[in-house]
Amino acid sequence: MTDPNSERLVLRDDTDGVAILRFNRPDRNNSWSVPMEKEYYRLLRECGDDPAVRVIIVTGAGRSFCPGMDTNTLADQAADPTLNTQPHKREPITTPRTIRKPVIAAINGACAGIGLIAAMNCDLRFLSSKAKVTCAFSQRGIMAEHGLAHAMTRVMGTSRALDLLFSSRIVMGQEAVELGLVDRVFEPDELLPRSLEYARGLAANSSPVAMGVMKQQVYEALETTQEEARTMAIRWWYDVLRDHGDFKEGVTSYLEKRPPAFAPWDPATPLVPAALPND
């Protein structure tokens, strides 16, 4: 019998409030294609709208995460400059940052080019100790695509980002952690179990509403002053206290010395910072 998942470009599996999305082009080592991109974003939005999903893990099926754009596409573009994938008409690769749930990249193998950009637009990055990570663009005669220069500079600093962008050198393991490129490194057979352990902990113990607001706060804070961030936090405080029960449950569970039992958050319920009181 044919596996119904075998022809899907991105697979989805759910467990304990965690959705696992896997790039699934094994014949091309999960290299990026526009159809795979569309399916990835569709599933991200689907998970974002599903109250049962509290955390999302993104990884690759097999031994590769995503080694970059499919070489067939690159070869066609090099041969005929009129051919392009029209990035200005596609959904932004920053889409994972708009999902109000933690999105964790579990980088299980080769990660380069647009595959690295996809990982950098996840909220956290966990890396296999055997996985090779590289920008690759300078050695292909391409600039830093899709805002990668912005993302890398924010997490690594200017000179470290330029080092990797200029050289396209391969980074692995602990060096990737020390550079700030990834957050944790695990042995290959431990990567997904440890990523799941972390994600399940968030799903079980962290407020979905609080995590959704925090994610928005952090990405907005990259472009605001500290005072603007402080004022916005107060506005969020009034909204969370007024409209959601997670604050009450968080305090009650702490006083009762039990794990919190946060209700699922329906993404259809808007989260909007309240206006500051006039009095």
Side-chain angles (χ1 to χ4, degrees):
M1 179 179 295
T2 301
D3 181 354
N5 284 333
S6 62
E7 297 181 358
R8 296 178 185 172
L9 298 175
V10 182
L11 308 179
R12 173 182 170 179
D13 297 297
D14 292 19
T15 176
D16 300 327
V18 181
I20 305 172
L21 304 184
R22 289 182 174 88
F23 299 134
N24 186 46
R25 300 187 71 217
D27 57 320
R28 304 296 297 169
N29 291 319
N30 301 331
S31 59
W32 198 268
S33 69
V34 175
M36 187 177 82
E37 173 186 287
K38 290 180 178 178
E39 181 66 0
Y40 172 44
Y41 295 152
R42 184 190 71 79
L43 286 173
L44 276 176
R45 291 191 299 272
E46 181 180 280
C47 292
D49 292 338
D50 187 345
V53 174
R54 301 195 178 195
V55 185
I56 302 165
I57 292 176
V58 180
T59 190
R63 296 183 297 176
S64 178
F65 180 75
C66 175
M69 182 64 75
D70 192 299
T71 53
N72 290 340
T73 301
L74 293 176
D76 290 343
Q77 289 179 332
D80 184 354
T82 65
L83 298 175
N84 65 76
T85 54
Q86 297 185 305
H88 65 294
K89 294 183 179 180
R90 286 151 46 199
E91 192 166 351
I93 204 162
T94 51
T95 294
R97 296 189 176 197
T98 69
I99 306 299
R100 280 178 149 175
K101 297 176 182 181
V103 181
I104 302 168
I107 305 170
N108 58 308
C111 178
I114 197 168
L116 175 59
I117 297 172
M120 293 301 296
N121 279 282
C122 294
D123 305 312
L124 298 171
R125 287 162 296 284
F126 298 164
L127 181 70
S128 163
S129 62
K130 303 299 182 183
K132 297 180 179 179
V133 181
T134 177
C135 300
F137 294 116
S138 68
Q139 296 180 1
R140 306 292 181 267
I142 307 173
M143 73 291 159
E145 291 189 307
H146 297 286
L148 180 62
H150 181 281
M152 289 183 65
T153 301
R154 293 304 189 276
V155 303
M156 299 173 61
T158 302
S159 60
R160 288 179 171 183
L162 284 171
D163 165 31
L164 297 191
L165 289 168
F166 285 161
S167 67
S168 290
R169 67 185 180 85
I170 292 172
V171 179
M172 297 178 65
Q174 191 59 35
E175 183 187 11
V177 176
E178 293 170 357
L179 288 172
L181 191 64
V182 303
D183 302 289
R184 302 185 187 187
V185 61
F186 301 113
E187 291 304 308
D189 59 349
E190 286 294 310
L191 175 65
L192 191 56
R194 295 290 294 275
S195 298
L196 267 171
E197 179 184 18
Y198 179 88
R200 285 170 172 151
L202 296 184
N205 300 309
S206 296
S207 157
V209 171
M211 289 193 292
V213 172
M214 286 173 179
K215 181 168 177 174
Q216 183 171 337
Q217 285 180 291
V218 166
Y219 289 122
E220 287 180 348
L222 293 174
E223 309 299 334
T224 62
T225 66
Q226 184 174 11
E227 179 58 23
E228 288 170 332
R230 185 191 71 84
T231 301
M232 185 58 71
I234 295 173
R235 293 178 60 192
W236 280 117
W237 176 255
Y238 279 111
D239 177 75
V240 171
L241 286 179
R242 182 189 64 198
D243 294 333
H244 301 284
D246 283 12
F247 173 71
K248 180 178 179 180
E249 170 59 16
V251 172
T252 301
S253 62
Y254 174 75
L255 294 175
E256 294 178 353
K257 298 181 179 180
R258 60 171 174 80
F262 296 115
W265 170 52
D266 183 356
T269 304
L271 289 177
V272 180
L276 295 178
N278 293 323
D279 52 358

